[in-house]
Every structure is written in structure tokens, then in C-alpha cells.
Amino acid sequence: MLFYRAGMFVIGPESAGAHPGPTCYRKGGPLCVTDANLCLGRLLPEYFPHIFGKTEDQPLDKDATVAAFHDLTIVVNKQSLEQKGREYVPKTPEEVAMGFIEVANEAMCRPIRALTQAKGHDTSRHVLACFGGAGGQHACSIARSLGMKQVFIHKYCGILSAYGMALADVVYETQEPCAHTYSADNFQYLDARLGELTQQCCEELQRQGFESENITTEPFLHLRYEKTDCALMCTAAKKPSGGTAMTHGDFLSSFLDRYQSEFGFTITNRCIIVDDIRVRGVGHSAVPLENNIMQADKPPQVEKVVEVFFIGGYRDANVYLLENLRNGHVIPGPALIIDKNSTVLVEPDCEAAITANGDVSITIGSGAHRIIGTELDDIQLSIFSHRFMSTAEQMGRILQRTAISTNIKERLDFSCAMFGPDGGLVANAPHIPIHLGAMQETVQFQIKNLGNGIQKGDVILSNHPSAGGSHLPDLTVITPVFYGDQPKPVFFVASRGHHADIGGITPGSMPPHSKFLSEEGAIFRSFKLVENGIFQEEAVTEALMAPGKIPRSSGTRNLQDNLSDLRAQVAANQKGIQLITELIDAYGLNVVQAYMAHIQANAELAVREMLKEIALKTRERTGKTLLYGEDYMDDGTKIALTVDINEHEGSAVVDFSGTGYEVYGNCNTPRAVTLSALIYCLRCMVGHDVPLNQGCLAPIKIVIPSGTILSPSAGAAVVGGNVLTSQRIVDVILKAFDTCAASQGCMNNVTFGDEDVGYYETVAGGAGAVSSCCVKLSA
């Protein structure tokens, strides 16, 4: 479904489904991507069956679609004119529809980039396989955006799932648990079990009617490193036994290759555990898969010529029927290739070729260079929003893939973000909500504290609460990014990860009874983790072991994991730098920085609209726009909040005056955590997806009195404030806004260990009653 919200073109996630379906289905449905393609001439109603409308005997209704886009265009132009003034050039319905297509394509690219990156692959080195009735309309644009040079579209792409089921082989698998180590002492046992499971597969497939010559089997071992939870199902099909491995093949090499590919490293001197033994048996279908089509002996037959809208205006496009095309036919874009179940759009500067099997192979050209200015364009705003968020998400994938600790790799207790040259948050991937606003405080502290001391080749490590930290185990790695001959950083990237142990008086660095910050682990305020491009391993090791100098305390109990995870955070930042630098190379520094500011302004607009709506409802209910909420910690310390909303400006003063004093314990909460709780609640209350950036707080003046539990002194213990008090802050904010009932109010922290090992995690609790789903803050 298509929406225009707060000056942005938004695609989904809501779907109209098959009923009522898009507007063009004649059932009163909303505008959808299908409507946008129809409006632009990329779908031709005359080639669709007459199955629409309540009586299911009508054609697609293009007139209704065009009329709906005309109405939406009026809304877009009105809001844009109010926001931009006389310089704004009104859009046409086609330009609005094209804008939604561009945003939809970028939205589809985001998960492809993220999932591919998670497996350690580069999209530009692959072919885009397209299926589904609608896939062919977007394939060229998506492939170009992903850097792919080739698109493959099967001749039955519109019904590929059904076609595949008809031709599918029959698969039967047997599996059993194991829990043995992968070592020579156990090879005989593992080979024997694989042999037994193989026999079971063959007997079952023969019982289903397959001859032995049509049955193949493949053995698998489910392997993982000891003390990790991430197991990989490995086959030795391409790793024959070299005499020192199992009879069924060299599973070790297979595991190491795959682990290196997916995670970027392997772990030396660590046992490998066999969690499960599996054998897959396949009974092969005797149905012939493909029949070659006739060779082309004349040019392809053009059915008609139609006008199709692209960026820049309408262009003539030839229409071809796939059933009339032959092997060797070459079709330059723009063109439409139509089948009974799908429509393929061959864009300008692309070329389609028909294969011997009747499939379509499209070669992607570079496309016309498009100049984007620094002035606000609502279509480009949506696209840049996706690109910035995609950057933060891909940073997260790199961090997860290259980290070694359970806490980051498997609990996913980390966040990644990018920031403007002033340190203002631009995009924070939705990893851990409690990190949302906190990292901005950290980056801005480093800019103020180090000033010109921030040099190219430096990477800064920080975790101190007074420097924007949340609690000490959350180590933030910040990389300034210099571009060209710019003397100062043009943007920053940062990653924050919870390290399971950084020293302190208890394993896990989450002591329940700490009274001072120094008891909670190693402290970094503005530490150069990398200086002049050199990783400062000796210095950071010394800092991580420094808590051991304090009586009853210890240095880090997981030093190697700390060092590995810090390197992973540096690598994640480097990925962010690469992606944003590519954006700057494509669009120019001024344009990228301008859209950083535009996206922050858009988030501000969304929050202002929400505050105006809340003020209106509050005035109707109470006769005023003053909100108040309070709650208490278990020791009786009050958390008080007064919200005074200006209903005309859409601004508010959020005042925590009246909150109790700093406590002699660890439930004190750094200011950054309170900001994170506030930005999280605001985003939840907006009711739809808005960019996670500093613009959310721009309409809000925040008052947090110093010396309170929400703004403690520099040496106060804070480890519990991040995981317990933060929950109460959320409860109080939502209570003041009358949004939902209080939650359980704690993250239920579990920590254990000894002199050598420390572990920590949280266990989820309950959320308060609410009219719609409201996700709680997580550690």
C-alpha cells in the first residue's frame, strides 16, 4: 500500500492482499504498487483476464487508478507547497506514481543487501533471479541499484512455485542428535551413524516407488565451535576424504570454509562439536525439465507500441508476447515482454535476450546519470532514508558476522548508526532501542572534548556515562570520516556493543550491589582505540585489565573476546564508511549532507504533527495540554515527568523536575539513557515508521535536574540504571501520554562466572496493556 506521510513517500508494510486488492481491482481497495505500474503504462489492461470487480468479470480499472493518483497528487503538492514555498514545482500524477516505484525498489533492495551481506556475499557478483507475476516490472531497477549486471527471468516466473512443485524431486531426511566432538577418535562412530541413516533414507524412498538408480544421498554434520551457539549444517560433497578425514568426506574443511565466509574469521584451538547427524535422500523425478524452443530466423514480432513513463517523461516502448519469441531474439529497452502470467519491463539502456529454453536474460546498462540537487525532494528524501538505514543495517550485519562473543553474535546486543558532521544522529538501525539516542550524546561529546585532536586514521573508544555512555559494558567505537581534502570529518559512524565482561567486582560486569562506577569495570572516556591507522592492542589491553588494581575487583575475564569484538566493531564502522563514501561519490558531498539534514527535519515534522494531535486530544479530555506522570523505584525513589505541549507549534517541554536524588547504589541512570527512552516512546507513539534520528527530539526541550537519579554525578554507579530504571522511565513517559499501562519494569538480568569467565544476559518480562502492540525497551 502507498502512503504520503509527513512529507515522505512510504511503501507498506500494510498490504491490500488479493481482496480488496489494489484500486484497479474494482473492489474499493487502496493505492498499491500495482496501481503505480498501471498508471505509468507498465501494465496493459487489455492483456489481463476479465476477472475483477464484485462480479469477477471486469477488466482492470485504469481510470480509477489514474483518478486516485490525481487526488493523491493534490495532497502531495499542497503539503510540499506549504513546506517549500513558491520555489516548489508541482508534480504530475505520473511523477508521483514514479516516485512510489523508486521508493518501492529501494525498499526491496534493503533486505537483499542485508541478507546477502549477512552471508558474506557481494551482490554485484551475482545474477538477480526474478519470479512472481510482478517481479519482472522491477527487476531492471533493482539489479542496477544492487550493482548487478544480469537478470534471469524464467519463462514460467509467474507460476514458478507451482511449476517447481510439479517437477520437484522427493526428499526424505533422517537426523539424530550427537553431541560428540569432531575428532579422529570419533570418526568411526560418525561414519557408522551416517551409513545407518543413509540406509534408512534409501529404504524409505524405495518404499515410495523410486528405483535405486534414481536415488542419491548426501551426508551432513551440524557443527559448531565449543562455547558458541551458532551451528552450521555442513556437507562434505565437494570435500572428499584425504585419508586423514572421515570416510564420508572432510567435514572440517567444509565447516572452516563456510565459517570464514559467513563470519569473516575462524577460531583457532577451539574444539568443534557435532550437534546433529543428518542424511538427505533424494528420489529424482523422471519428468523432463526443459524443452528447447525454436531458433529465431527473423526479427521478433512487435505486437504494438505503447507509451511508458520513466524518469524524465514518457517513452515509446515495443510490446512483445513471450510465446512468439524465439531462441536468439534480442530486445533492446524500453520494451514490455508479456506472458499470460507476468509482464517484464525492459528498461532503457537494458537489453533482453531469449535463451534456448525460452527464458529471458536481461543485461543491465549503467542507465542515464541523474543529477540530484541539495534542495528537498520528497521522493529522494524517501530514497535517501532507505539508503542511510540500509547503511546502518549492513554495519550491523558485519558486526554480527565478525564478532566472536555470544553477547553480540547471538544475543544481538549491539547497535550501529551514522551521524552528521555535528554528531547529530542521522540513521540508527532498529537494533537495541536503549541505544537509540545515547550514541548521539557520545559522538557529540568526542567532538567537543577532542576537537582538532580527531585525526584521519583515528578510531575512538568510549563508555563513560558522562560522555554519553549507557553503562560500562556497552563499548562504543566511533570512526570519524574524512573525505577528499576536507579538513574536518564530514560524518561519523559508530557501533555500540555489550561486552559480556570488562572487569569489575563480579563476573559479567553487572554487579547488583555496586556503589561506585569504578566497581563496574574498565572505563574509557576518549580513548584512541586506533591511532594513525594502528590498532592500539597493548594500550587497550592495559585499560581492560586496569580494574584488577582495585581491591575486590578484577580486570576483564574475557580479554580475547573483548579484543575480537572491538576489531569487529571497527570493521562494522569501516563498512559504513565504504557505503556512505559510495553515496558521496555518486551524488556529491553537498547532496548527501543536505539529505542528512532533510531526514532529520522530516523526523522533526512527524513528531510535531504527533504532538499537535496529542495536544488536541488532551485538551478535549481535560481542557488543558499539560500532561503528568510519576512512578517509583523499589526503594521509593520517585521518577516524575511533566509534559507541557504547545499545540500551535507542535513542541513540548519535557521536565523531569521532582525526580528523586541520585542513589547510593547502581540504579542511577545516565542522561543519554533517558534520552533513548524518550526517543523510543515518541517513535512508538507516532504510530508509523519514522527515521531514527535527532530530529525526533528537535521539537522538545528536555529538563533533567543534575544530581537526580536521571542525571547522576560522574562517579556514580549506573549499571542498574541502564537495565532497570530505563524501564521505569518508559513506563512514566507512556503513563504521562496516557498510552499504555506500566510494564513489569525490569529487564531481569542474569549474570554468572568465575575468575576466568563472565556471562550476562537479560530475560524478557511482561508489557502493560495497550490498544496496539507496544514493544518494550531491551538491554
Side-chain angles (χ1 to χ4, degrees), residues 274-349:
V274 183
D275 275 349
D276 301 282
I277 303 171
R278 175 189 293 184
V279 173
R280 176 181 298 160
V282 180
H284 296 282
S285 169
V287 179
L289 294 179
E290 299 284 358
N291 292 315
N292 289 348
I293 62 173
M294 295 176 59
Q295 186 71 31
D297 55 3
K298 58 183 179 180
Q301 178 181 335
V302 178
E303 299 298 317
K304 61 193 303 186
V305 178
V306 297
E307 287 189 330
V308 177
F309 192 91
F310 296 95
I311 296 173
Y314 280 102
R315 295 186 61 172
D316 288 340
N318 292 337
V319 177
Y320 304 88
L321 296 182
L322 183 61
E323 62 187 22
N324 294 335
L325 298 177
R326 299 291 179 260
N327 177 21
H329 274 149
V330 175
I331 299 169
L336 293 174
I337 301 175
I338 297 176
D339 188 35
K340 295 177 181 178
N341 299 296
S342 62
T343 298
V344 176
L345 173 68
V346 184
E347 294 194 359
D349 201 30

Side-chain angles (χ1 to χ4, degrees), residues 678-695:
L678 181 58
I679 196 173
Y680 166 77
C681 291
L682 289 172
R683 187 169 180 269
C684 287
M685 290 185 291
V686 165
H688 56 80
D689 193 27
V690 295
L692 298 170
N693 61 54
Q694 73 167 5

Side-chain angles (χ1 to χ4, degrees), residues 372-592:
I372 306 296
T374 57
E375 65 279 359
L376 175 62
D377 178 88
D378 37 18
I379 297 172
Q380 292 303 318
L381 179 70
S382 301
I383 292 173
F384 270 98
S385 177
H386 279 290
R387 292 300 293 271
F388 291 150
M389 286 294 287
S390 177
T391 296
E393 289 169 350
Q394 289 185 73
M395 289 173 63
R397 295 289 186 176
I398 288 289
L399 179 52
Q400 180 188 356
R401 189 167 67 86
T402 56
I404 195 171
S405 71
T406 301
N407 235 33
I408 293 179
K409 179 177 290 296
E410 290 151 26
R411 284 192 62 238
L412 308 182
D413 194 346
F414 65 83
S415 287
C416 298
M418 58 177 291
F419 306 82
D422 62 347
L425 179 63
V426 174
N428 192 132
H431 293 132
I432 298 296
I434 205 163
H435 297 164
L436 294 184
M439 276 199 285
Q440 172 178 303
E441 295 268 305
T442 306
V443 176
Q444 291 179 334
F445 176 87
Q446 303 308 325
I447 294 173
K448 181 179 179 180
N449 190 47
L450 295 176
N452 294 330
I454 300 176
Q455 300 293 324
K456 188 174 184 178
D458 290 350
V459 178
I460 303 159
L461 173 63
S462 182
N463 69 346
H464 199 291
S466 65
S470 46
H471 58 176
L472 295 186
D474 282 344
L475 298 184
T476 303
V477 173
I478 305 162
T479 306
V481 183
F482 294 82
Y483 185 82
D485 57 358
Q486 297 291 320
K488 293 185 177 181
V490 296
F491 61 91
F492 294 82
V493 290
S495 55
R496 174 170 288 182
H498 186 117
H499 289 238
D501 195 292
I502 57 166
I505 59 176
T506 62
S509 303
M510 293 287 293
H513 49 272
S514 56
K515 301 294 190 297
F516 303 98
L517 186 67
S518 57
E519 296 176 328
E520 297 176 350
I523 300 173
F524 303 91
R525 189 181 293 269
S526 296
F527 183 88
K528 293 284 186 75
L529 179 64
V530 177
E531 190 167 12
N532 296 323
I534 300 173
F535 187 82
Q536 304 296 308
E537 181 170 345
E538 185 176 339
V540 74
T541 298
E542 181 180 349
L544 286 167
M545 300 306 296
K549 300 175 183 178
I550 300 173
R552 300 185 302 107
S553 186
S554 168
T556 177
R557 301 161 182 85
N558 293 339
L559 178 61
Q560 292 307 313
D561 282 10
N562 293 138
L563 295 175
S564 296
D565 286 354
L566 286 172
R567 289 191 179 95
Q569 289 178 255
V570 173
N573 288 2
Q574 193 60 37
K575 181 64 176 181
I577 293 170
Q578 174 197 333
L579 294 172
I580 303 173
T581 301
E582 290 174 0
L583 269 183
I584 295 174
D585 291 339
Y587 295 100
L589 176 61
N590 290 341
V591 172
V592 173

Side-chain angles (χ1 to χ4, degrees), residues 1-25:
M1 292 168 60
L2 312 182
F3 305 95
Y4 186 73
R5 292 176 179 152
M8 289 188 73
F9 285 64
V10 180
I11 307 293
E14 299 88 344
S15 172
H19 180 81
T23 299
C24 60
Y25 280 18

Side-chain angles (χ1 to χ4, degrees), residues 644-688:
D644 189 0
I645 304 177
N646 185 319
E647 57 189 310
H648 303 293
E649 296 180 358
S651 60
V653 177
V654 175
D655 189 351
F656 287 94
S657 295
T659 294
Y661 292 112
E662 172 185 323
V663 297
Y664 186 57
N666 58 27
C667 285
N668 301 296
T669 304
R671 171 185 167 87
V673 172
T674 303
L675 295 182
S676 292
L678 181 58
I679 196 173
Y680 166 77
C681 291
L682 289 172
R683 187 169 180 269
C684 287
M685 290 185 291
V686 165
H688 56 80

